[in-house]
Amino acid sequence: MEPQDRPRFVTAGALMLLTAGLATYAGATVAGMGLHRSTLGALPFGLFYATVIFFLDRSVLLSTRPYRYGSDGTVRVGRAGPATAMRIFIAVCAALLVGETLLLRIFAPSIAPRVTQIRQEDLGRVLRGWDANQLGEQRVLRDDLAAGQRALDSAHALVTGKTAEVNCQLTGGDGCLSGEGPVYRIKLGELGAATAAVTTATRQRDAAQARLDAFDRSRDTRRAHFRDQQAATVDAADDLLIREKAFWRLTVADRSVLLWRTVLTLLLLGIDLGPLMFKRTLEQTALRRRERLVQWRGETTDEVDAQQIGQTARRRGELAQTLAEGAADRYGQYVQRRDEIGTSLRVAADLADVAVDREQIRIDRDSRIRDLRIRYRVPDPAPAPDPADRAAPS
């Protein structure tokens, strides 16, 4: 490392430690608010998050951007890799989350009334649902009471009519027979049944009225008990979500809060991306240039070796194909010569066999002629003169 480059690397290390410290506080604060713990109790979460951020920054700072061929064929410094893109994504998410956490602590006094308002709205919504349900039950009870009252009025009207018929049968009148005869006793039985129906309808009406009265008397008590239960449930919902909802209402109501949120988020994002932005200055150091040159030389050497190996493999493939074709031709010629020699041998053998057969035929023929001459005493023919003897006197 060159002496003039040492301060740059020291600054990069300091930025990494600063980012790790901010990540420790951010992770502990977010985990504490989410898990309802103190910041000190959630410190292990912050240390784990800071360790992840530290080693990501370290991997990004230690990685050297290699040389790459440009679109015009020139050699240029390549772009950032996947590790840098992932680190930027984590930085943006962390800046948003940490900024929200810090702002929730800063604006906690202003957020508290909004949280109370949200809880009251939730409680009022639940109570309105409960009241609607109770009104439905009360309507059913009133309908039962009205039906019982109508049944009682009908029973009273029936008793009145049956009483008039009994009196008509007892005293006599139009269409009535006077005296306590069979008709009178029938009408008197119907009057008794109507009176019993009145008693039953009265009991049912009174029971419906009692249920309605008991429902009305206990409704306030039950509503208060239900309200206490729901209030305890709503008050227990003191998590990060309800605070964020309250903070959003405060932001919508007051534009200055939105300005603070934006400025603080950008500030934290800039701090978190400090090591990545400072990495561009490290790329200009002599150490990184040497590393980039060595990496480029190694890549080009590997590429040349790969091309040579590929060329050798292709040449070997071509030679192997040529040798295979030559071997196939030579083998074809060998097969052809072998077939020709085999044919010649078979022809010679056949000709020899023919000559032997001819000689046997000649010998057999001469033997028969000699036997015939001996048998019939025919002299042998004079031998033919030798052409040499005939040519000697001249």
Side-chain angles (χ1 to χ4, degrees):
M1 182 187 300
E2 301 295 333
Q4 65 272 14
D5 296 334
R6 184 177 299 275
R8 296 184 179 182
F9 287 94
V10 172
T11 304
L15 287 175
M16 289 174 57
L17 294 177
L18 177 62
T19 305
L22 180 62
T24 302
Y25 173 75
T29 303
V30 174
M33 295 184 64
L35 301 176
H36 299 285
R37 295 183 181 180
S38 62
T39 304
L40 185 61
L43 186 60
F45 298 96
L47 293 176
F48 174 76
Y49 177 65
T51 304
V52 174
I53 294 299
F54 178 80
F55 281 101
L56 280 176
D57 289 341
R58 187 173 182 272
S59 65
V60 172
L61 292 179
L62 291 180
S63 62
T64 303
R65 295 170 60 184
Y67 286 120
R68 290 290 181 264
Y69 288 109
S71 58
D72 53 354
T74 59
V75 178
R76 298 178 181 179
V77 179
R79 297 180 179 179
T84 304
M86 182 178 66
R87 180 63 183 88
I88 293 175
F89 175 75
I90 294 176
V92 173
C93 296
L96 294 174
L97 191 58
V98 175
E100 288 295 311
T101 306
L102 292 177
L103 288 172
L104 287 175
R105 289 185 177 272
I106 294 172
F107 291 97
S110 301
I111 294 175
R114 306 283 179 172
V115 173
T116 304
Q117 181 182 1
I118 293 175
R119 290 174 178 172
Q120 291 177 354
E121 291 177 356
D122 294 339
L123 182 60
R125 190 181 305 109
V126 173
L127 290 178
R128 285 193 296 271
W130 189 88
D131 291 337
N133 185 24
Q134 295 300 307
L135 287 176
E137 294 183 6
Q138 187 181 31
R139 189 178 301 108
V140 172
L141 293 176
R142 287 179 177 176
D143 292 341
D144 293 340
L145 179 60
Q149 186 64 43
R150 288 194 297 270
L152 180 59
D153 294 340
S154 299
H156 280 299
L158 183 59
V159 168
T160 302
K162 295 301 179 182
T163 302
E165 291 178 0
V166 169
N167 292 332
C168 180
Q169 293 295 331
L170 183 62
T171 59
D174 296 337
C176 297
L177 299 175
S178 61
E180 298 179 359
V183 178
Y184 171 78
R185 287 191 297 271
I186 293 174
K187 296 298 182 181
L188 188 60
E190 294 177 352
L191 177 60
T195 303
V198 169
T199 303
T200 303
T202 302
R203 185 170 59 254
Q204 293 177 351
R205 194 277 312 271
D206 294 340
Q209 184 66 47
R211 287 194 299 270
L212 180 60
D213 294 340
F215 178 83
D216 291 337
R217 286 193 304 269
S218 63
R219 181 174 56 186
D220 295 337
T221 303
R222 287 184 289 105
R223 190 178 189 278
H225 181 67
F226 179 78
R227 185 183 183 281
D228 294 338
Q229 290 180 344
Q230 295 301 318
T233 303
V234 172
D235 292 338
D238 190 15
D239 53 0
L240 188 62
L241 180 59
I242 191 171
R243 295 184 185 181
E244 184 63 28
K245 290 171 63 177
F247 192 30
W248 181 253
R249 289 191 179 186
L250 181 62
T251 304
V252 174
D254 191 353
R255 297 299 180 182
S256 61
V257 179
L258 179 60
L259 177 63
W260 276 98
R261 294 181 71 171
T262 305
V263 171
L264 184 59
T265 302
L266 293 178
L267 177 62
L268 292 174
L269 181 60
I271 295 175
D272 206 7
L273 292 178
L276 303 182
M277 293 184 293
F278 193 76
K279 183 179 182 295
R280 298 181 63 87
T281 62
L282 298 180
E283 297 295 334
Q284 307 302 325
T285 59
L287 177 62
R288 289 301 172 83
R289 287 197 295 269
R290 287 196 299 271
E291 291 178 353
R292 196 159 43 242
L293 185 60
V294 170
Q295 184 178 2
W296 176 254
R297 184 180 293 112
E299 291 179 355
T300 52
T301 302
D302 294 339
E303 184 178 357
V304 170
D305 293 341
Q307 291 180 357
Q308 290 179 351
I309 293 173
Q311 184 67 23
T312 303
R314 287 193 297 271
R315 183 57 182 168
R316 287 180 177 178
E318 294 174 357
L319 290 176
Q321 185 177 3
T322 303
L323 291 176
E325 292 176 354
D329 293 338
R330 288 193 297 272
Y331 180 75
Q333 294 175 3
Y334 162 75
V335 172
Q336 184 178 0
R337 289 293 303 275
R338 185 188 65 185
D339 295 340
E340 290 177 355
I341 292 173
T343 303
S344 299
L345 291 176
R346 287 193 298 272
V347 171
D350 294 339
L351 292 175
D353 293 339
V354 170
V356 171
D357 293 338
R358 287 179 179 178
E359 187 65 22
Q360 288 179 354
I361 293 171
R362 186 185 65 77
I363 293 172
D364 186 60
R365 186 190 60 189
D366 292 343
S367 177
R368 289 181 180 181
I369 291 173
R370 189 167 48 252
D371 291 340
L372 290 173
R373 285 176 179 175
I374 292 173
R375 180 183 300 176
Y376 296 104
R377 298 177 181 180
V378 177
D380 294 333
D386 191 0
D389 294 339
R390 288 183 296 182
S394 61

